[in-house]
Amino acid sequence: MPNSRSRPRRGAGNGAGTAGRDELVSRSLQSAEHCLGAQDFGTAYAHYLLVLSLAPELKEDVKETFQYTLLRWAEELDALNRTQDLLGCYEQALELFPDDEVICNSMGEHLFRMGFRDEAAGYFHKAVKLNPDFNDAKENFYRVANWLVERWHFIMLNDTRRNMIYNAAIQKAVCSGFKNVLDIGAGTGILSMFAKKAGAHSVYACELSKTMYELACDVVAANKMEAGIKLLHMKSLDIEIPKHIPERVGLKEIVGIHLPTNVKFQSPAYSSVDTEETVEPYTTEKMSRVPGGYLALTESFEIMKVDFNNLQELKSLATKKPDPISIPVVKEGTLDAIVVWFVLQLDDEHSLSTSPSEETCWEQAVYPVQDLPDYWMKPGDHVTMEVSCQDCYLRIQSISVLGLEQEMEVTKSFTKTTDLLSLGNEAELCSALANLQTSKPDAGEQICVLESSEIALLNNIPYHEGFKMAMKKVFSSLTPEKLCPVMDPHCQNNEMSCGTGKHNTMKSTPEPFYVLDVSEGFSILPIIAGTLGQVKPYSSVEKDQHRIALDLISEANHFPKETLEFWLRHVEDESAVLQRPKSDKLWSIIILDVIEPSGLIQQEIMEKAAISRCLLQSGGKIFPQYVLMFGLLVESQTLVEENAVQGLERTLGLNIAPFINQFQVPIRVFLDLSSLPCTPLSKPVELLRLDLMTPYLNTSNREVKVRICKSGQVTAIPFWYHMYLDEEIRLDTSSEASHWKQAAVVLDNPIQVEMGEELVLSVEHHKSNVSITVKQ
């Protein structure tokens, strides 16, 4: 605990009022220190507030102890879900210490956990500005910035062709008399500024994201256009006239574990209107960079045409009945998804296409196809679907694949009742066919919504095979004679000991092996463990639908669901998730998530590993036991343009780069190196070792020599990991089957290198943050 033995300084006056104040301050300080000793942090915090309100001159003297008291009291309030009190304490603290980076960072952490990500980012950003060397705040800000200002902003702003075409079209529209402009989803405000430069009288820019709204304010002001552009921080659907603006303007079996048909896994991107958890009915991909490529099974076809100048048409979109479409199949293959892009006709002269074949900043919308009895298609088949704009989304539903025979049979049955053929109404026929093929979920079907990374994990067969083999080896090595605990030299609270060397060998039923899986998200590893013998597995999944799905999978594999424990039901807070299964038992295996799907090291993983080592029985293991980090030097213009706006030329002379580039991060995440446009300039080298079982082998920093094998400009250092479950079983996060993505350090300034040269990389590991710099 920080030391605080400060006493109040005497004021200039010597009256009774001053003396009384000093006495009260002195007593309050003593009381605060007494409360801290008793770990009564709430009362101590109240005393410090009184001291600082009476004697603000003591701020610097008690600052460190006040920080400590605030953080501990905030932890208690958080555990009690007293959210308003917690936020109130931080607001009081920031009134007293508005420029304290520790308090700002801690406030941001609490806000982030509560889901207020925009607000959290602001506090992290402020903490970094106050102290650029504050590593905890930098790491928090980088993690938030990676998604807060999405990377497509950088790509889009670097797309000179896109910016030139938009600018030309906006100029033409404004010059032809359209003087009042509304920019919906303004982002940095670049299009609004194009409009203002073109001579628009009134420009209104609407942006929902608080971060992007504030960024746009800075950008517009820096370009001296704040007087001519009104920025609105709100949803476009909530804009009212004249209040805001005055005028209109799928899977079957995994390493022997059967996945029953009544458990259906879906991503949040699902096209059913009835699915409550749907965030968007589609996901997005840069189809030209999909690993392994793709095969187009049909010719491209028009889904919808929208005239944004026709108000009646726009109004009718949300209520209009779905339009049926029938498309002939031209190639044989499996129907996985429908890919959608748009051709944006800005005016008669200027247009932009976001087609996969175009070099553009846009990705394409991907609508996953699900619920088909058969996904295989061949030329002569037809794909039918219904297209609508419901809930402000383009929705593609009732997708079916019909062979020639099915079409003829359905046509014949319709001919008996209505003469559809004579009408020649292909649309009605397609709609009828689609309705006949629409499948409804069974009553006993359990829908389990998983993130795309969780579905990719289920498809990662080497991952599950590796864990199954490694767990088998641990169980076979553990015998009743080896059940004494392993003592970690840093642990003081290990209750078990091997003092007598005696063991109870008279039990008729052997004690089970206890396995704890605290990996993130949905995991079937506990079920795999449970099928390997006398094992009591514990899962840390939190969502009810995930627990139900695991119970159903257990039953389908003749594994009593009562054997599987859901561990977070037994602990009051997540920090206790690694505690013992019973007071006299220790874990045989603890499975930790070391690497995030994004390609970064998990936060606090080394702290979790330290606790885990104390809770292992003798011969027990942490999985993975150690991790090696690898990297190489590459030249990649794509990474450069996705990381920062490249000067004034890209934005046609408008000053945007210094403002949005504040949100550039040193590490790009969610990369797929197999399809990333880049030129390797070196071979892979080992950068770092993280050992969870033997921590003395770890180093916090090291220098690595890298030999150049191809001349060029080093712009980035991609990295990935080899995870060793034991000395023989290894998982590669860069493999084709991996559910993990990779990450890369992007250099601020490219380095010209020649073949045969050597560069020295300085690699530092602080908590979960890794930094890589080039020494020159």
Side-chain angles (χ1 to χ4, degrees):
M1 183 181 76
N3 185 29
S4 173
R5 293 289 172 186
S6 305
R7 290 292 176 262
R9 303 188 187 96
R10 293 282 177 183
N14 293 315
T18 302
R21 185 207 72 155
D22 289 349
E23 179 64 22
L24 181 56
V25 168
S26 180
R27 287 184 179 180
S28 294
L29 275 174
Q30 291 173 1
S31 298
E33 291 166 7
H34 174 76
C35 291
L36 281 181
Q39 296 196 338
D40 181 0
F41 300 111
T43 309
Y45 175 76
H47 280 299
Y48 278 122
L49 281 184
L50 178 60
V51 167
L52 291 170
S53 65
L54 292 173
E57 68 273 10
L58 294 181
K59 278 185 182 180
E60 288 306 312
D61 295 336
V62 301
K63 176 180 177 180
E64 187 179 346
T65 316
F66 178 77
Q67 286 175 346
Y68 173 79
T69 307
L70 169 67
L71 301 186
R72 295 301 300 270
W73 178 224
E75 288 174 4
E76 289 188 17
L77 292 173
D78 196 14
L80 295 169
N81 290 321
R82 290 172 57 183
T83 304
Q84 290 303 319
D85 292 338
L86 185 150
L87 295 178
C89 286
Y90 273 105
E91 286 169 2
Q92 291 169 329
L94 286 169
E95 284 180 13
L96 293 166
F97 298 96
D99 295 328
D100 188 290
E101 69 271 21
V102 174
I103 297 176
C104 286
N105 182 61
S106 183
M107 174 68 153
E109 289 176 337
H110 283 289
L111 287 169
F112 185 78
R113 284 198 290 271
M114 294 173 195
F116 301 110
R117 293 172 169 176
D118 259 9
E119 293 80 358
Y123 283 103
F124 294 148
H125 196 203
K126 183 177 179 181
V128 173
K129 279 187 171 180
L130 290 167
N131 183 359
D133 297 323
F134 188 11
N135 284 326
D136 288 356
K138 281 200 292 189
E139 183 179 339
N140 284 330
F141 177 66
Y142 292 155
R143 286 176 182 270
V144 175
N146 257 312
W147 62 261
L148 194 65
V149 176
E150 295 187 73
R151 301 302 98 180
W152 56 260
H153 282 289
F154 297 97
I155 307 169
M156 187 173 69
L157 289 165
N158 280 315
D159 191 337
T160 308
R161 179 173 175 270
R162 175 248 187 206
N163 296 337
M164 290 179 66
I165 293 175
Y166 258 107
N167 189 36
I170 289 170
Q171 278 185 345
K172 182 178 176 182
V174 171
C175 291
S176 63
F178 297 95
K179 302 292 186 182
N180 300 321
V181 177
L182 173 62
D183 182 0
I184 296 176
T188 60
I190 185 172
L191 300 186
S192 296
M193 292 188 288
F194 286 164
K196 196 63 196 171
K197 281 183 70 177
H201 294 158
S202 305
V203 180
Y204 308 99
C206 173
E207 175 54 53
L208 180 59
S209 162
K210 185 173 186 290
T211 301
M212 292 308 299
Y213 165 75
E214 291 174 351
L215 179 62
C217 290
D218 290 341
V219 168
V220 168
N223 288 277
K224 297 181 171 53
M225 296 189 195
E226 65 269 38
I229 299 174
K230 182 178 180 181
L231 286 154
L232 303 167
H233 176 217
M234 60 192 307
K235 285 176 71 173
S236 59
L237 295 175
D238 295 336
I239 293 176
E240 296 178 20
I241 298 172
K243 182 177 178 181
H244 301 114
I245 59 177
E247 54 216 323
R248 292 189 177 274
V249 288
L251 296 161
K252 294 185 179 177
E253 189 175 283
I254 300 171
V255 293
I257 300 297
H258 173 65
L259 300 184
T261 55
N262 61 333
V263 178
K264 182 179 175 185
F265 297 105
Q266 292 177 354
S267 73
Y270 185 60
S271 296
S272 170
V273 219
D274 304 322
T275 305
E276 290 183 7
E277 292 209 33
T278 297
V279 179
E280 291 181 339
Y282 58 88
T283 182
T284 61
E285 293 284 349
K286 192 84 168 174
M287 295 303 295
S288 60
R289 281 163 60 176
V290 169
Y294 64 93
L295 174 68
L297 302 177
T298 72
E299 302 288 353
S300 60
F301 55 93
E302 184 178 298
I303 283 183
M304 184 178 291
K305 187 173 183 178
V306 179
D307 183 355
F308 289 101
N309 289 311
N310 187 328
L311 181 60
Q312 196 58 42
E313 182 178 320
L314 292 174
K315 283 182 177 178
S316 68
L317 274 179
T319 56
K320 187 180 176 184
K321 287 185 178 180
D323 287 327
I325 299 177
S326 178
I327 308 299
V329 176
V330 297
K331 292 278 181 67
E332 189 172 18
T334 303
L335 177 59
D336 293 315
I338 295 172
V339 176
V340 176
W341 64 91
F342 59 83
V343 176
L344 187 61
Q345 198 70 41
L346 300 176
D347 55 30
D348 293 338
E349 185 181 353
H350 302 96
S351 68
L352 283 169
S353 171
T354 69
S355 160
S357 61
E358 296 283 339
E359 284 297 323
T360 174
C361 61
W362 279 283
E363 295 181 333
Q364 290 77 45
V366 178
Y367 290 77
V369 174
Q370 302 181 37
D371 299 331
L372 294 185
D374 185 7
Y375 293 84
W376 189 256
M377 307 191 332
K378 60 186 183 303
D381 292 344
H382 277 72
V383 180
T384 66
M385 64 194 78
E386 291 184 347
V387 179
S388 63
C389 272
Q390 298 177 34
D391 307 328
C392 301
Y393 288 113
L394 173 67
R395 292 189 179 273
I396 301 176
Q397 297 162 240
S398 304
I399 301 169
S400 302
V401 179
L402 299 179
L404 187 60
E405 301 83 0
Q406 290 170 294
E407 289 186 76
M408 290 176 67
E409 285 176 16
V410 177
T411 302
K412 197 179 293 182
S413 66
F414 273 108
T415 309
K416 293 176 183 176
T417 52
T418 57
D419 193 9
L420 281 176
L421 289 180
S422 63
L423 292 172
N425 194 334
E426 183 186 355
E428 281 191 44
L429 176 59
C430 291
S431 179
L433 291 173
N435 288 332
L436 284 174
Q437 295 295 316
T438 302
S439 60
K440 302 282 184 184
D442 296 332
E445 194 173 72
Q446 171 62 29
I447 303 294
C448 186
V449 177
L450 301 179
E451 296 298 325
S452 58
S453 59
E454 294 174 305
I455 293 176
L457 171 58
L458 284 177
N459 280 307
N460 189 343
I461 301 302
Y463 173 91
H464 295 95
E465 286 177 339
F467 270 97
K468 185 175 183 178
M469 289 168 55
M471 287 191 287
K472 268 186 180 177
K473 289 168 72 173
V474 172
F475 295 148
S476 66
S477 70
L478 292 174
T479 61
E481 288 74 33
K482 292 183 180 179
L483 290 180
C484 291
V486 60
M487 293 297 291
D488 189 280
H490 304 292
C491 279
Q492 302 298 323
N493 62 348
N494 201 320
E495 296 166 9
M496 295 184 68
S497 69
C498 301
T500 63
K502 295 179 181 178
H503 305 280
N504 187 354
T505 57
M506 301 298 292
K507 291 183 179 179
S508 57
T509 305
E511 272 291 325
F513 297 118
Y514 290 93
V515 175
L516 174 62
D517 178 13
V518 287
S519 52
E520 298 286 330
F522 186 82
S523 170
I524 64 167
L525 292 180
I527 296 177
I528 294 175
T531 61
L532 297 178
Q534 194 73 16
V535 177
K536 181 71 174 173
Y538 289 74
S539 167
S540 63
V541 298
E542 298 182 62
K543 294 182 179 178
D544 287 339
Q545 57 169 306
H546 292 178
R547 291 173 175 170
I548 294 168
L550 286 176
D551 278 341
L552 291 172
I553 294 171
S554 299
E555 289 178 347
N557 289 275
H558 312 293
F559 171 62
K561 68 177 182 180
E562 296 78 18
T563 310
L564 178 64
E565 292 278 356
F566 294 111
W567 194 225
L568 288 182
R569 287 179 179 166
H570 301 281
V571 295
E572 292 183 1
D573 63 282
E574 199 176 338
S575 62
V577 76
L578 292 168
Q579 68 187 47
R580 301 164 183 267
K582 294 181 181 178
S583 61
D584 62 338
K585 301 299 175 190
L586 295 172
W587 300 106
S588 304
I589 295 173
I590 298 177
I591 301 168
L592 298 178
D593 243 347
V594 180
I595 308 301
E596 295 179 0
S598 67
L600 294 179
I601 297 171
Q602 287 279 4
Q603 288 184 308
E604 300 178 352
I605 188 60
M606 300 313 292
E607 291 86 343
K608 288 180 181 176
I611 297 170
S612 298
R613 288 192 297 274
C614 301
L615 301 175
L616 290 175
Q617 70 175 82
S618 179
K621 300 294 182 186
I622 298 171
F623 286 158
Q625 294 185 37
Y626 65 94
V627 176
L628 300 181
M629 176 180 171
F630 288 86
L632 81 163
L633 308 178
V634 301
E635 180 173 345
S636 174
Q637 187 61 25
T638 297
L639 282 180
V640 170
E641 294 192 356
E642 288 179 355
N643 200 54
V645 176
Q646 304 298 305
L648 290 171
E649 290 183 8
R650 301 298 183 97
T651 52
L652 310 190
L654 290 171
N655 186 15
I656 297 176
F659 301 93
I660 192 167
N661 285 353
Q662 292 180 74
F663 290 88
Q664 73 182 93
V665 293
I667 296 181
R668 283 277 287 109
V669 295
F670 287 109
L671 298 175
D672 196 311
L673 294 184
S674 66
S675 60
L676 177 72
C678 68
T679 303
L681 303 181
S682 75
K683 291 182 178 178
V685 293
E686 183 183 320
L687 299 175
L688 189 72
R689 178 186 175 108
L690 294 177
D691 204 306
L692 281 67
M693 286 294 292
T694 49
Y696 63 84
L697 295 175
N698 293 327
T699 53
S700 58
N701 55 73
R702 62 179 300 211
E703 291 188 350
V704 181
K705 288 184 179 178
V706 185
R707 179 168 289 277
I708 305 301
C709 62
K710 183 180 176 65
S711 300
Q713 278 197 331
V714 179
T715 59
I717 309 167
F719 57 88
W720 62 95
Y721 310 88
H722 289 174
M723 296 173 49
Y724 285 83
L725 304 184
D726 59 30
E727 289 295 340
E728 298 171 343
I729 302 173
R730 186 192 79 183
L731 301 173
D732 184 350
T733 68
S734 69
S735 71
E736 186 179 339
S738 171
H739 66 283
W740 289 285
K741 298 297 184 184
Q742 296 83 51
V745 171
V746 183
L747 304 185
D748 289 333
N749 300 301
I751 300 173
Q752 185 68 40
V753 293
E754 300 296 329
M755 188 172 67
E757 289 181 354
E758 275 191 346
L759 284 186
V760 178
L761 303 182
S762 175
V763 185
E764 294 190 9
H765 175 227
H766 173 73
K767 292 190 176 179
S768 58
N769 187 43
V770 174
S771 66
I772 307 171
T773 54
V774 180
K775 295 190 70 174
Q776 291 182 288

